[in-house]
């Protein structure tokens, strides 16, 4: 409610809340110029109580005691001090002043405040502005401010010059317009020529369309012919897929057959155990490993117990030799250590050998001092294929028969179409399968060819080749298949590849790759598992690691390492 006399201070203007005891009992605002009734000390703003006493009875509005302006008393000093110390906003807060001052300094601040409203002094303006902005407004902003006149003579001269320039511009524009008209006429002529050319192009396009229609007709005929050819290719692919399916069917049959044969072998072992034959009584199957590059050491692996043990070393180191089991002896033939040899040594493996069993010379000898050959036992003969004859410096293409019984004769029975070293041979009934290898010392001489040598007919027959040339691989026989493991390709790169080659069909399929790249490794089959040992990896490191591929799980797994690293060693199952 509006008032004609000054009220107390609004509470919102103070920095902090003012105690209610210091509020006027008439306007209820914070006391302004406080006074009190003398008897009961009721506090009022000076303006509020003065107006009350002027317009009403001369009594205190709170206690009704007789009261007049003359009898009003000053408030106690403690009240005055409390109020003087309160911080309050400037009266011109709404105009932008953000100062907080003590109440006792408010009047002085308001008198000096730059936000105090003043009226512009320019005649005709009358705008209310803040005191601090007055000078700038009156001299720079106000539209009624007085301006100094510039030199009128200079302005006249400038105007005259501008008129001359405008006249010159008019002349130039007229000239350019004339040139533009000429250019436009020339462009019209050119456009007409372009129209003529476009008409000619359209005519040519129509002729082209006619030709294209004729070509489309011819292409449709060609497409039909190509479609027929594609159908023929698809038929061929289907036939190939059927062949692949047949290959996998053969593989399944091979696995099943191997399981049956394994059961039969176990049954035979049980029968031998019961009858007390010489080969019976062995609880575990073992892998016998001998030699390798710069190695004469020998070790044996108990497959079921997963334990390696060292045996008596060979008399000298041997690598690139061949080995076989004959008459309860592990027999190692040929190879090279300090020099190539043609002798054959053997160790008794009945019972399972230990460190007390020594190596003995065997009466039979190979046809030459050789290495990198391959051999298999057929009845009482050792069939030796290929190899490098060290003394003669010859890569052999021969197949020799060495009698393992007296008189231990050696004879050349056949020749292969080409020399072979670092190859493999596998006995298949009355034939031997000769796989891969190389015809000379370089990997570029690797072979992918596969030969079948019929022992009874004494004939060599070429079979379907491997998928790629390979040497220094290991091989094992698995039912009606040969498994080719690792090796090195014609670029000299070590491989993890594993091929299963069907002896009857000549079809090849890839098995899962090994865990490690290996060349010059060994491999044997034991309890439905292909075990691969040692070799050399892609970094040239000789390996003692062992891994096995189980056909039931159809995957590779690590087996315990050999005690020694071995490259170009030999291994058999006993």
């Amino acid at each position: 409610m509006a008032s004609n006399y000054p009220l107390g201070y609004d509470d919102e203007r103070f920095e902090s809340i003012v105690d209610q005891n210091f509020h006027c009992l008439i306007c209820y605002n914070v006391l302004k110029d406080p006074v009190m009734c003398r008897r009961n000390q009721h506090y009022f703003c000076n303006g509020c109580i003065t107006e009350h006493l002027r317009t009403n009875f001369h009594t205190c509005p709170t206690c009704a005691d007789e009261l007049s302006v003359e009898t009003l008393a000053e408030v106690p000093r403690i009240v005055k001090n409390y109020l003087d110390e309160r911080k309050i906003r400037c009266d011109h807060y709404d105009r932008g002043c953000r100062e907080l001052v003590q109440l006792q300094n408010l009047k002085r601040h308001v008198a000096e405040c730059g936000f105090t409203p003043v009226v512009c002094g320019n005649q005709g303006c009358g705008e209310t502005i803040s005191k601090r902005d007055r000078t700038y407004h009156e001299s720079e902003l106000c539209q009624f401010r007085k301006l100094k006149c510039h030199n009128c003579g200079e302005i006249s001269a400038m105007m005259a010059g501008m008129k001359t320039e405008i006249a010159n511009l008019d002349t130039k524009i007229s000239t350019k317009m004339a040139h533009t008209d000429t250019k436009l006429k020339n462009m019209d002529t050119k456009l007409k020529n372009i129209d003529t050319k476009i008409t000619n192009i359209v005519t040519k396009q129509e002729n082209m369309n006619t030709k294209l229609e004729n070509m489309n007709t011819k292409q449709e005929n060609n497409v039909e012919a190509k479609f027929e050819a594609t159908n023929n290719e698809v038929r061929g692919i289907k036939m190939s897929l059927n062949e692949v399916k047949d290959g996998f069917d053969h593989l399944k049959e091979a696995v099943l057959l191997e399981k049956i044969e394994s059961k039969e072998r176990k049954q035979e072992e049980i029968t031998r155990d019961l009858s007390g034959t010489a080969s019976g009584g062995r609880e575990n199957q073992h892998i016998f490993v001998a030699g390798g590059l710069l190695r004469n050491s020998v070790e044996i692996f108990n497959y079921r117990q997963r334990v390696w043990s060292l045996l008596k070393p060979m008399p000298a180191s041997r690598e690139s030799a061949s080995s076989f089991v004959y008459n309860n002896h592990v027999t190692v033939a040929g190879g090279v250590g300090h020099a190539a040899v043609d002798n054959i040594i053997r160790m008794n493996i009945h019972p399972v050998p230990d460190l007390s069993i020594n190596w003995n010379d065997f009466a039979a000898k190979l046809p030459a001092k050789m290495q990198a050959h391959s051999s298999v036992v057929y009845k009482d003969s050792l069939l030796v294929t290929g190899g490098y004859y060290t003394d003669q410096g010859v890569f052999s293409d021969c197949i020799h028969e060495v009698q393992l019984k007296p008189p231990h004769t050696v004879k050349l029975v056949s020749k292969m179409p080409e020399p072979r070293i670092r190859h493999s041979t596998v006995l298949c009934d009355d034939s031997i399968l000769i796989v891969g290898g190389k015809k000379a010392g370089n990997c570029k001489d690797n072979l992918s060819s596969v030969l079948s040598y019929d022992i009874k007919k004494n004939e060599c027959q070429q079979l379907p080749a491997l998928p790629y040339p390979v040497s220094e691989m290991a091989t094992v026989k698995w039912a009606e298949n040969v498994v080719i493991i690792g090796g090195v390709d014609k670029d000299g790169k070590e491989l993890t590849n594993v091929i299963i080659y069907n002896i009857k069909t000549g079809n090849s399929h890839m098995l899962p790759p090994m865990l490690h790249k290996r060349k010059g490794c060994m491999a044997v089959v034991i309890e439905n598992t292909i075990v691969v040992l040692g070799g050399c990896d892609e970094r040239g490191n000789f390996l003692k690691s062992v891994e096995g591929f189980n056909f039931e799980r159809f995957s590779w797994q690590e087996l315990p390492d050999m005690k020694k690293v071995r490259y170009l060693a030999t291994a058999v199952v006993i």
Side-chain angles (χ1 to χ4, degrees):
M1 180 176 68
S3 175
N4 294 326
Y5 59 91
L7 302 176
Y9 300 107
D10 193 339
D11 281 273
E12 293 181 356
R13 291 182 60 184
F14 287 88
E15 181 183 35
S16 58
I17 297 173
V18 179
D19 192 287
Q20 288 296 322
N21 292 320
F22 300 96
H23 285 65
C24 175
L25 296 173
I26 295 176
C27 69
Y28 299 108
N29 288 331
V30 178
L31 292 167
K32 183 176 184 180
D33 298 328
V35 292
M36 66 178 183
C37 68
R38 188 180 298 276
R39 179 178 295 178
N40 293 317
Q41 295 187 354
H42 294 128
Y43 302 148
F44 308 99
C45 298
N46 193 5
C48 293
I49 191 63
T50 300
E51 181 65 18
H52 170 78
L53 295 174
R54 185 181 68 79
T55 58
N56 297 298
F57 297 104
H58 294 281
T59 58
C60 175
T62 301
C63 62
D65 277 355
E66 187 174 332
L67 187 64
S68 66
V69 174
E70 290 76 13
T71 59
L72 289 170
E74 290 187 0
V75 295
R77 179 172 295 279
I78 191 170
V79 174
K80 192 173 186 308
N81 289 344
Y82 174 83
L83 291 171
D84 285 347
E85 291 173 359
R86 300 305 96 198
K87 286 191 175 182
I88 188 170
R89 291 200 302 241
C90 175
D91 292 355
H92 305 306
Y93 178 83
D94 293 338
R95 294 187 60 81
C97 181
R98 293 295 180 265
E99 288 287 335
L100 281 169
V101 298
Q102 288 185 332
L103 187 58
Q104 61 185 343
N105 299 324
L106 180 62
K107 288 182 181 179
R108 184 174 70 252
H109 169 76
V110 170
E112 298 172 353
C113 182
F115 291 91
T116 302
V118 294
V119 178
C120 175
N122 290 329
Q123 186 176 359
C125 179
E127 182 177 348
T128 300
I129 54 178
S130 295
K131 183 168 66 174
R132 67 175 189 171
D133 299 329
R134 180 174 182 176
T135 302
Y136 182 71
H137 172 81
E138 290 178 347
S139 62
E140 300 293 336
L141 300 179
C142 183
Q143 60 181 338
F144 296 98
R145 70 186 183 279
K146 294 179 181 180
L147 299 174
K148 292 182 180 181
C149 180
H150 296 287
N151 190 321
C152 296
E154 290 180 2
I155 293 174
S156 298
M158 288 175 63
M159 291 295 292
M162 289 177 66
K163 287 180 180 179
T164 303
E165 288 181 3
I166 290 170
N168 293 335
L169 283 172
D170 286 340
T171 303
K172 290 180 180 179
I173 289 170
S174 298
T175 303
K176 287 187 177 180
M177 286 293 291
H179 288 313
T180 302
D181 288 340
T182 303
K183 288 182 179 180
L184 286 172
K185 289 178 182 178
N186 293 335
M187 287 182 68
D188 285 338
T189 303
K190 289 180 179 179
L191 286 172
K192 289 178 181 178
N193 294 334
I194 290 170
D195 286 338
T196 303
K197 290 180 180 179
I198 289 172
T199 302
N200 294 335
I201 290 170
V202 169
T203 302
K204 290 180 180 179
Q205 183 66 39
E206 290 175 352
N207 294 334
M208 287 289 291
N209 288 339
T210 303
K211 290 180 180 179
L212 285 172
E213 288 176 0
N214 295 333
M215 289 177 67
N216 286 336
T217 303
K218 292 180 180 179
Q219 285 180 351
E220 286 176 0
N221 296 332
N222 291 335
V223 166
E224 290 178 359
K226 289 181 179 179
F227 184 73
E228 182 61 29
T230 302
N231 281 338
N232 292 334
E233 288 181 7
V234 170
R235 293 189 194 98
I237 291 170
K238 287 182 178 178
M239 292 176 66
S240 298
L241 289 173
N242 289 333
E243 289 180 2
V244 171
K245 182 178 179 298
D246 291 341
F248 278 108
D249 290 341
H250 285 306
L251 179 58
K252 289 179 181 177
E253 291 174 3
V255 172
L256 181 60
L257 182 59
E258 179 63 24
K259 288 182 179 179
I260 294 170
E261 291 179 354
S262 177
K263 288 181 179 179
E264 290 175 351
R265 286 196 299 270
K266 288 181 180 178
Q267 185 63 43
E268 289 175 1
E269 289 175 4
I270 292 169
T271 303
R272 286 198 302 271
D273 289 342
L274 292 173
S275 60
T277 59
S279 61
R282 187 175 297 154
E283 294 181 357
N284 303 308
Q285 287 186 297
H286 299 75
I287 301 173
F288 188 102
V289 181
L293 183 63
L294 303 178
R295 292 281 181 208
N296 68 336
S297 60
V298 180
E299 52 189 302
I300 190 169
F301 182 59
N302 186 317
Y303 182 75
R304 292 182 183 172
Q305 295 180 6
R306 299 292 199 267
V307 175
W308 285 98
S309 303
L310 288 172
L311 299 178
K312 271 287 179 67
M314 295 183 292
S317 62
R318 291 194 189 216
E319 52 105 347
S320 303
S322 64
S323 63
F324 54 93
V325 177
Y326 180 71
N327 282 350
N328 289 326
H329 285 76
V330 170
T331 308
V332 179
V336 62
H338 299 296
V341 295
D342 59 359
N343 71 325
I344 300 173
I345 59 174
R346 63 182 184 171
M347 175 184 282
N348 192 336
I349 57 171
H350 182 72
V352 175
D354 56 28
L355 282 169
S356 66
I357 308 299
N358 293 312
W359 288 88
N360 298 302
D361 286 330
F362 187 53
K365 288 187 178 295
L366 296 178
K369 294 179 179 180
M370 62 170 60
Q371 59 170 306
H373 57 285
S374 185
S375 64
V376 294
V377 174
Y378 177 72
K379 297 182 179 178
D380 291 316
S381 296
L382 182 68
L383 295 173
V384 183
T385 61
Y388 179 65
Y389 296 177
T390 308
D391 288 350
Q392 304 167 35
V394 172
F395 297 99
S396 172
D397 59 356
C398 298
I399 301 176
H400 284 93
E401 180 185 6
V402 179
Q403 289 291 329
L404 298 176
K405 287 187 174 182
H408 304 300
T409 56
V410 178
K411 66 177 179 179
L412 175 65
V413 293
S414 185
K415 285 202 172 187
M416 299 178 288
E418 54 201 347
R420 284 181 193 259
I421 63 170
R422 308 288 184 204
H423 58 291
S424 294
T425 53
V426 177
L427 182 65
C428 306
D429 298 327
D430 294 323
S431 299
I432 59 173
L433 207 69
I434 305 168
V435 180
K438 52 187 175 181
K439 57 186 177 182
N442 197 303
C443 290
K444 292 181 180 178
D445 298 315
N446 277 5
L447 299 169
S448 61
S449 57
V450 179
L451 298 177
S452 175
Y453 172 65
D454 190 310
I455 300 171
K456 290 184 175 180
K457 295 180 180 179
N458 194 23
E459 293 177 352
C460 274
Q461 179 186 359
Q462 199 86 32
L463 298 183
L466 300 176
Y468 50 84
V470 63
S471 63
E472 290 193 47
M473 67 289 189
T475 56
V476 294
K477 186 172 181 291
W478 181 265
E480 297 300 323
N481 303 276
V482 176
V483 182
I484 298 98
I485 304 158
V488 61
D489 65 13
K490 64 180 180 180
D491 296 320
K493 294 181 179 178
E494 291 74 11
L495 303 173
T496 58
N497 299 359
V498 182
I499 305 169
I500 185 163
Y501 180 93
N502 188 275
I503 299 169
K504 291 183 177 179
T505 65
N507 291 332
S508 296
H509 302 286
M510 302 304 293
L511 292 179
M514 292 187 291
L515 304 176
H516 305 283
K517 292 183 178 181
R518 300 176 190 266
K519 69 176 180 180
C521 54
M522 306 157 279
V524 296
V525 175
I526 187 167
E527 292 191 2
N528 203 32
T529 298
I530 298 174
V531 180
V532 183
L533 310 98
C536 179
D537 66 14
E538 70 275 18
R539 294 181 296 276
N541 298 322
F542 296 166
L543 304 175
K544 60 180 177 180
S545 62
V546 182
E547 56 185 294
F549 180 79
N550 185 282
F551 275 90
E552 292 180 355
R553 291 191 300 269
F554 213 71
S555 63
W556 291 90
Q557 65 176 3
E558 299 277 7
L559 295 173
D561 289 352
M562 296 182 289
K563 290 185 176 294
K564 305 289 184 181
V565 296
R566 297 187 188 275
Y567 171 52
L568 299 175
T570 184
V572 293
V573 173
I574 63 172

